[in-house]
């Protein structure tokens, strides 16, 4: 048994606590005012540190699959190194691979490959034209229009017909409408080719489908202000929908990016205007957004120069959280969107993954909470210890980041995964 003491942030409170955990099982045993004398505390963190339950990213592209075709961009182990570098203890990998996981057999082959990341990586299954649900409960991802990879829909009719087979399932949507994208395909710039209208139209359709088929919906990497109004209205009607936002959509906007940098900032959906960024920040602040998720999407520098969409984000997660704290976003909110909500998302599929796990790794009650029975995963930040993002500090294979040169107000102090100091 080990004892750790730190100022702990949960969605309910920020308070100095002691945590007793078992480094063999990797599980938390007790949390609170345990009255362990200072001399017997194994890990003591002073008031300059802030501890959260291990943070999690519900949207990444680790690139590895059975074909191995994209492992030169990233693989499960390099993604895990970048996650740890950014203070992340678990992440959900998207299915837009050369061999997408769309049925039991392809999902299980990818699951077995991902085992090398010790269950820190978990998988979405893909939905494509005429796919059907797996026989056990997993999270699904649907690309409403073309982005990266071949797994996407070209029209609403096929999407509607396919989703009619997924009633009650957890479905995350990439909201860009294929017909709006097609209509703007000859525009001069990336953000004009993928306008806000594409997201707004797709949001309206996604909300309609979530309602129609009783889905538990999540809208990925939300980027613009218009659709937020539609989401608000749908929630008032009882539509079950949550939202992700990326660090890059909260930090950058077209008004502050010089034209020469636009290519390296290219992603789908694009970086938007200042008023979109402000709308996302206030939606995050008032609790309308549930997940801070990176959409870590590595491509090589050469591919980026040719105009491939996708930005990295794992390495800079912790630093970015300190920027949000510095902007006045409360630690309780950060605990919710970086640890507890991603934990809840992950934990609802735990039984399926335990069943598939040939190593029978014990994840207890799961991740994301400073409570007995959950994994002893801790992300400890130093909110007032500035650090500049430089290439030598990145662990992603592709060695670039939209935040290169940015000095965040704080940094990662320490990370624990399954009771082990990383
Ligand atoms: O910019 C993006 N890149 N958006 C996506 O939807 C996919 C991602 C990727 O896989 O590279």
């Amino acid at each position: 048994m080990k004892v750790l003491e730190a100022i702990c942030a949960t969605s309910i409170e920020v308070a100095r606590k002691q945590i007793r955990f078992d480094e063999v099982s990797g599980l938390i045993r007790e949390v609170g005012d345990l009255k362990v004398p200072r001399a017997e505390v194994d890990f003591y963190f002073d008031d300059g540190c802030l501890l959260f339950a291990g943070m999690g990213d519900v949207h990444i592209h680790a690139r590895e699959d059975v074909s191995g075709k994209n492992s030169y961009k990233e693989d499960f182990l390099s993604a895990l190194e970048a996650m740890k570098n950014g203070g992340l203890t678990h992440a959900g990998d998207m299915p837009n691979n050369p061999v997408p996981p769309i049925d039991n057999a392809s999902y299980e082959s990818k699951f077995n490959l991902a085992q090398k990341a010790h269950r820190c990586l978990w998988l979405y299954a893909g939905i494509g034209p005429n796919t059907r649900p797996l026989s056990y409960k997993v999270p699904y991802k649907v690309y409403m229009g073309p982005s990266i990879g071949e797994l996407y829909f070209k029209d609403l009719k096929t999407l509607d017909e396919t989703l009619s087979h997924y009633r009650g399932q957890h479905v995350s949507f990439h909201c860009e409408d294929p017909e709006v994208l097609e209509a703007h395909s000859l525009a001069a710039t990336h953000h004009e080719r993928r306008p806000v209208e594409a997201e707004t139209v797709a949001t309206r359709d996604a909300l309609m489908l979530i309602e129609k088929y009783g889905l538990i919906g999540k809208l990925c990497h939300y980027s613009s202000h218009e659709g937020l109004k539609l989401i608000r209205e749908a929630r008032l009607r009882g539509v079950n929908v949550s939202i992700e936002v990326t660090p890059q959509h909260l930090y950058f906007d077209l008004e502050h990016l010089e034209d020469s940098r636009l290519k390296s900032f290219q992603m789908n959906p694009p970086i938007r205007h200042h008023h979109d960024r402000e709308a996302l920040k206030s939606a995050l602040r008032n609790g309308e957004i549930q997940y801070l998720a990176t959409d870590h999407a590595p491509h090589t520098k050469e591919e980026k120069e040719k105009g491939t969409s996708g930005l990295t984000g794992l390495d800079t997660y912790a630093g970015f959280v300190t920027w949000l704290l510095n902007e006045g976003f409360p630690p309780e909110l950060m605990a919710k969107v970086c640890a507890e909500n991603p934990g809840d998302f992950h934990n609802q599929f735990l039984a399926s993954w335990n069943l598939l796990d040939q190593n029978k790794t014990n994840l207890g009650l799961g991740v994301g909470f400073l409570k007995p029975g959950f994994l002893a995963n801790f992300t400890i930040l130093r909110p007032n210890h500035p650090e500049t993002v430089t290439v030598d500090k990145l662990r992603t294979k592709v060695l670039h980041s939209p935040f290169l040169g940015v000095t965040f107000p704080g940094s990662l102090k320490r990370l624990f995964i399954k009771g082990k100091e990383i």
Side-chain angles (χ1 to χ4, degrees):
M1 269 323 158
K2 296 278 183 207
V3 176
L4 177 155
E5 184 181 323
I7 298 181
C8 298
T10 68
S11 60
I12 296 168
E13 60 177 357
V14 178
R16 182 163 280 282
K17 289 179 190 166
Q18 292 184 330
I19 304 174
R20 195 188 308 279
F21 61 92
D22 179 351
E23 75 275 45
V24 180
S25 70
L27 300 179
I28 297 174
R29 294 287 180 219
E30 271 182 285
V31 182
D33 182 13
L34 308 184
K35 303 211 174 351
V36 177
R38 172 81 186 263
E40 290 167 31
V41 170
D42 301 285
F43 304 98
Y44 181 89
F45 295 96
D46 65 25
D47 290 355
C49 298
L50 191 56
L51 179 146
F52 295 84
M55 292 182 173
D57 185 347
V58 297
H59 190 140
I60 78 160
H61 301 266
R63 301 296 186 212
E64 188 166 344
D65 73 351
V66 288
S67 78
K69 279 189 185 150
N70 283 339
S71 295
Y72 68 94
K73 299 176 195 255
E74 201 78 286
D75 58 48
F76 291 131
L77 287 180
S78 64
L80 181 60
E81 287 311 305
M83 285 162 59
K84 292 194 267 191
N85 196 29
L88 286 158
T89 59
H90 70 97
D93 186 42
M94 287 295 169
N96 58 336
N97 301 111
V99 180
I102 49 170
D103 54 21
N104 279 28
S106 51
Y107 187 85
E108 286 160 29
S109 310
K110 192 177 168 193
F111 186 94
N112 290 338
L113 270 184
Q115 289 286 78
K116 63 180 83 142
H118 316 290
R119 299 280 303 274
C120 294
L121 280 168
W122 45 273
L123 309 180
Y124 287 84
I127 298 178
N130 303 315
T131 58
R132 294 291 180 268
L134 276 57
S135 64
Y136 36 80
K137 182 175 159 182
V138 291
Y140 293 94
K141 169 70 181 287
V142 63
Y143 291 85
M144 298 177 78
S147 182
I148 297 285
E150 299 307 314
L151 187 72
Y152 65 91
F153 285 85
K154 295 192 172 98
D155 62 84
L156 182 60
K157 191 165 166 286
T158 317
L159 174 61
D160 189 324
E161 205 289 314
T162 304
L163 283 181
S164 71
H165 299 275
Y166 286 79
R167 281 177 195 277
Q169 303 281 358
H170 288 73
V171 181
S172 295
F173 291 79
H174 179 120
C175 292
E176 284 185 291
D177 180 76
E179 284 163 21
V180 178
L181 294 181
E182 180 60 33
H184 291 80
S185 61
L186 298 177
T189 63
H190 182 69
H191 57 272
E192 287 160 349
R193 288 191 289 275
R194 304 189 80 105
V196 167
E197 188 195 346
E199 188 168 73
T200 314
V201 169
T203 301
R204 191 197 62 213
D205 293 340
L207 293 169
M208 177 275 289
L209 293 165
I210 293 166
E211 191 165 18
K212 188 169 175 186
Y213 298 120
L215 306 174
I216 301 158
K218 173 156 72 63
L219 307 188
C220 298
H221 38 55
Y222 218 73
S223 71
S224 62
H225 76 289
E226 280 185 25
L228 290 171
K229 191 163 154 275
L230 299 177
I231 298 167
R232 249 169 244 140
E233 287 164 5
R235 282 178 170 160
L236 288 176
R237 295 198 304 276
V239 176
N240 191 343
V241 62
S242 58
I243 313 177
E244 300 171 5
V245 69
T246 71
Q248 54 271 26
H249 286 112
L250 289 168
Y251 193 88
F252 298 104
D253 57 49
L254 290 168
E255 283 73 11
H256 293 97
L257 278 180
E258 313 86 75
D259 286 354
S260 60
R261 295 175 82 199
L262 281 181
K263 205 166 224 176
S264 62
F265 276 78
Q266 184 174 314
M267 69 170 293
N268 308 332
I271 302 293
R272 308 284 192 195
H273 289 285
H274 186 68
H275 64 273
D276 292 303
R277 181 160 88 93
E278 287 305 313
L280 292 169
K281 279 169 75 180
S282 52
L284 178 63
R285 211 182 281 279
N286 68 25
E288 286 179 80
I289 291 180
Q290 283 65 45
Y291 306 98
L292 179 69
T294 63
D295 187 17
H296 176 80
H299 298 283
T300 63
K301 271 180 236 152
E302 297 71 32
E303 289 167 335
K304 295 291 302 161
E305 271 152 32
K306 288 189 195 134
T308 308
S309 294
L311 302 182
T312 64
L314 292 175
D315 288 285
T316 46
Y317 194 88
F320 182 74
V321 173
T322 70
W323 179 78
L324 287 174
L325 289 168
N326 198 52
E327 291 282 296
F329 289 83
E332 291 90 339
L333 179 65
M334 294 298 98
K336 193 108 186 120
V337 300
C338 303
E340 296 180 12
N341 288 343
D344 270 335
F345 192 86
H346 167 280
N347 299 340
Q348 56 193 328
F349 307 104
L350 198 53
S352 303
W353 294 327
N354 284 345
L355 212 63
L356 298 182
D357 181 359
Q358 286 156 0
N359 304 329
K360 298 292 160 218
T361 320
N362 177 14
L363 300 195
L365 297 175
V367 295
F369 292 87
L370 299 177
K371 289 182 185 170
F374 284 83
L375 276 189
N377 286 354
F378 311 122
T379 301
I380 302 152
L381 304 181
R382 287 186 289 191
N384 299 311
H385 198 279
E387 200 166 273
T388 304
V389 180
T390 51
V391 174
D392 58 302
K393 292 189 195 125
L394 301 177
R395 295 292 171 268
T396 170
K397 257 189 202 180
V398 297
L399 292 178
H400 59 77
S401 158
F403 291 101
L404 275 180
V406 169
T407 301
F408 289 124
S411 50
L412 179 68
K413 165 79 175 170
R414 204 67 55 77
L415 188 71
F416 286 75
I417 300 184
K418 298 196 192 96
K420 307 259 179 333
E421 202 178 353
I422 302 299

